[in-house]
PDB file of all heavy atoms in Angstrom:
ATOM      1  N   GLU A 282     -61.725  44.820-115.116  1.00 98.00           N
ATOM      2  CA  GLU A 282     -61.431  43.413-114.825  1.00 98.00           C
ATOM      3  C   GLU A 282     -60.270  43.322-113.843  1.00 98.00           C
ATOM      4  O   GLU A 282     -59.210  43.913-114.071  1.00 98.00           O
ATOM      5  CB  GLU A 282     -61.094  42.658-116.130  1.00 98.00           C
ATOM      6  CG  GLU A 282     -61.189  41.171-115.953  1.00 98.00           C
ATOM      7  CD  GLU A 282     -61.081  40.396-117.264  1.00 98.00           C
ATOM      8  OE1 GLU A 282     -60.768  41.013-118.305  1.00 98.00           O
ATOM      9  OE2 GLU A 282     -61.315  39.162-117.232  1.00 98.00           O
ATOM     10  N   LEU A 283     -60.490  42.568-112.771  1.00 98.00           N
ATOM     11  CA  LEU A 283     -59.534  42.532-111.677  1.00 98.00           C
ATOM     12  C   LEU A 283     -59.379  41.093-111.207  1.00 98.00           C
ATOM     13  O   LEU A 283     -60.215  40.249-111.472  1.00 98.00           O
ATOM     14  CB  LEU A 283     -60.086  43.367-110.507  1.00 98.00           C
ATOM     15  CG  LEU A 283     -60.430  44.814-110.868  1.00 98.00           C
ATOM     16  CD1 LEU A 283     -61.701  45.240-110.136  1.00 98.00           C
ATOM     17  CD2 LEU A 283     -59.312  45.749-110.521  1.00 98.00           C
ATOM     18  N   VAL A 284     -58.289  40.845-110.476  1.00 98.00           N
ATOM     19  CA  VAL A 284     -58.083  39.501-109.896  1.00 98.00           C
ATOM     20  C   VAL A 284     -58.382  39.586-108.419  1.00 98.00           C
ATOM     21  O   VAL A 284     -57.753  40.378-107.694  1.00 98.00           O
ATOM     22  CB  VAL A 284     -56.643  39.005-110.169  1.00 98.00           C
ATOM     23  CG1 VAL A 284     -56.464  37.612-109.551  1.00 98.00           C
ATOM     24  CG2 VAL A 284     -56.345  38.970-111.654  1.00 98.00           C
ATOM     25  N   ALA A 285     -59.322  38.744-107.988  1.00 98.00           N
ATOM     26  CA  ALA A 285     -59.734  38.765-106.581  1.00 98.00           C
ATOM     27  C   ALA A 285     -59.061  37.635-105.815  1.00 98.00           C
ATOM     28  O   ALA A 285     -59.024  36.497-106.299  1.00 98.00           O
ATOM     29  CB  ALA A 285     -61.245  38.634-106.483  1.00 98.00           C
ATOM     30  N   VAL A 286     -58.553  37.989-104.646  1.00 98.00           N
ATOM     31  CA  VAL A 286     -57.980  36.989-103.736  1.00 98.00           C
ATOM     32  C   VAL A 286     -58.852  36.971-102.496  1.00 98.00           C
ATOM     33  O   VAL A 286     -59.090  38.012-101.875  1.00 98.00           O
ATOM     34  CB  VAL A 286     -56.522  37.371-103.360  1.00 98.00           C
ATOM     35  CG1 VAL A 286     -55.965  36.350-102.369  1.00 98.00           C
ATOM     36  CG2 VAL A 286     -55.653  37.462-104.588  1.00 98.00           C
ATOM     37  N   ILE A 287     -59.331  35.771-102.157  1.00 98.00           N
ATOM     38  CA  ILE A 287     -60.246  35.685-101.026  1.00 98.00           C
ATOM     39  C   ILE A 287     -59.628  34.762 -99.970  1.00 98.00           C
ATOM     40  O   ILE A 287     -59.153  33.673-100.279  1.00 98.00           O
ATOM     41  CB  ILE A 287     -61.619  35.119-101.481  1.00 98.00           C
ATOM     42  CG1 ILE A 287     -62.270  36.096-102.452  1.00 98.00           C
ATOM     43  CG2 ILE A 287     -62.557  34.963-100.272  1.00 98.00           C
ATOM     44  CD1 ILE A 287     -62.020  35.782-103.894  1.00 98.00           C
ATOM     45  N   GLY A 288     -59.631  35.264 -98.754  1.00 98.00           N
ATOM     46  CA  GLY A 288     -59.027  34.471 -97.681  1.00 98.00           C
ATOM     47  C   GLY A 288     -59.665  34.773 -96.351  1.00 98.00           C
ATOM     48  O   GLY A 288     -60.687  35.453 -96.257  1.00 98.00           O
ATOM     49  N   GLU A 289     -59.010  34.257 -95.302  1.00 98.00           N
ATOM     50  CA  GLU A 289     -59.617  34.385 -93.965  1.00 98.00           C
ATOM     51  C   GLU A 289     -59.256  35.673 -93.278  1.00 98.00           C
ATOM     52  O   GLU A 289     -60.046  36.184 -92.498  1.00 98.00           O
ATOM     53  CB  GLU A 289     -59.190  33.182 -93.122  1.00 98.00           C
ATOM     54  CG  GLU A 289     -59.955  31.924 -93.543  1.00 98.00           C
ATOM     55  CD  GLU A 289     -59.245  30.630 -93.133  1.00 98.00           C
ATOM     56  OE1 GLU A 289     -58.467  30.656 -92.168  1.00 98.00           O
ATOM     57  OE2 GLU A 289     -59.479  29.595 -93.813  1.00 98.00           O
ATOM     58  N   THR A 290     -58.070  36.181 -93.523  1.00 98.00           N
ATOM     59  CA  THR A 290     -57.670  37.415 -92.834  1.00 98.00           C
ATOM     60  C   THR A 290     -57.013  38.392 -93.833  1.00 98.00           C
ATOM     61  O   THR A 290     -56.528  37.984 -94.896  1.00 98.00           O
ATOM     62  CB  THR A 290     -56.643  37.165 -91.703  1.00 98.00           C
ATOM     63  OG1 THR A 290     -55.417  36.715 -92.300  1.00 98.00           O
ATOM     64  CG2 THR A 290     -57.137  36.110 -90.714  1.00 98.00           C
ATOM     65  N   THR A 291     -57.022  39.639 -93.454  1.00 98.00           N
ATOM     66  CA  THR A 291     -56.527  40.704 -94.339  1.00 98.00           C
ATOM     67  C   THR A 291     -55.034  40.513 -94.657  1.00 98.00           C
ATOM     68  O   THR A 291     -54.627  40.667 -95.806  1.00 98.00           O
ATOM     69  CB  THR A 291     -56.731  42.087 -93.688  1.00 98.00           C
ATOM     70  OG1 THR A 291     -58.031  42.090 -93.085  1.00 98.00           O
ATOM     71  CG2 THR A 291     -56.663  43.195 -94.688  1.00 98.00           C
ATOM     72  N   TRP A 292     -54.267  40.204 -93.630  1.00 98.00           N
ATOM     73  CA  TRP A 292     -52.820  40.065 -93.838  1.00 98.00           C
ATOM     74  C   TRP A 292     -52.529  38.917 -94.802  1.00 98.00           C
ATOM     75  O   TRP A 292     -51.689  39.029 -95.705  1.00 98.00           O
ATOM     76  CB  TRP A 292     -52.131  39.844 -92.480  1.00 98.00           C
ATOM     77  CG  TRP A 292     -50.640  39.683 -92.594  1.00 98.00           C
ATOM     78  CD1 TRP A 292     -49.924  38.551 -92.340  1.00 98.00           C
ATOM     79  CD2 TRP A 292     -49.693  40.673 -92.985  1.00 98.00           C
ATOM     80  NE1 TRP A 292     -48.577  38.773 -92.542  1.00 98.00           N
ATOM     81  CE2 TRP A 292     -48.403  40.078 -92.937  1.00 98.00           C
ATOM     82  CE3 TRP A 292     -49.800  42.014 -93.367  1.00 98.00           C
ATOM     83  CZ2 TRP A 292     -47.241  40.772 -93.270  1.00 98.00           C
ATOM     84  CZ3 TRP A 292     -48.648  42.703 -93.694  1.00 98.00           C
ATOM     85  CH2 TRP A 292     -47.379  42.087 -93.642  1.00 98.00           C
ATOM     86  N   GLU A 293     -53.228  37.797 -94.624  1.00 98.00           N
ATOM     87  CA  GLU A 293     -53.001  36.652 -95.511  1.00 98.00           C
ATOM     88  C   GLU A 293     -53.354  36.991 -96.958  1.00 98.00           C
ATOM     89  O   GLU A 293     -52.663  36.606 -97.897  1.00 98.00           O
ATOM     90  CB  GLU A 293     -53.827  35.425 -95.031  1.00 98.00           C
ATOM     91  CG  GLU A 293     -53.234  34.826 -93.757  1.00 98.00           C
ATOM     92  CD  GLU A 293     -54.176  33.821 -93.071  1.00 98.00           C
ATOM     93  OE1 GLU A 293     -55.421  34.029 -93.130  1.00 98.00           O
ATOM     94  OE2 GLU A 293     -53.677  32.875 -92.477  1.00 98.00           O
TER      95      GLU A 293
END
Side-chain angles (χ1 to χ4, degrees):
Chain A
E282 197 170 10
L283 305 141
V284 180
V286 177
I287 297 94
E289 285 158 25
T290 68
T291 318
W292 180 248
E293 287 167 327

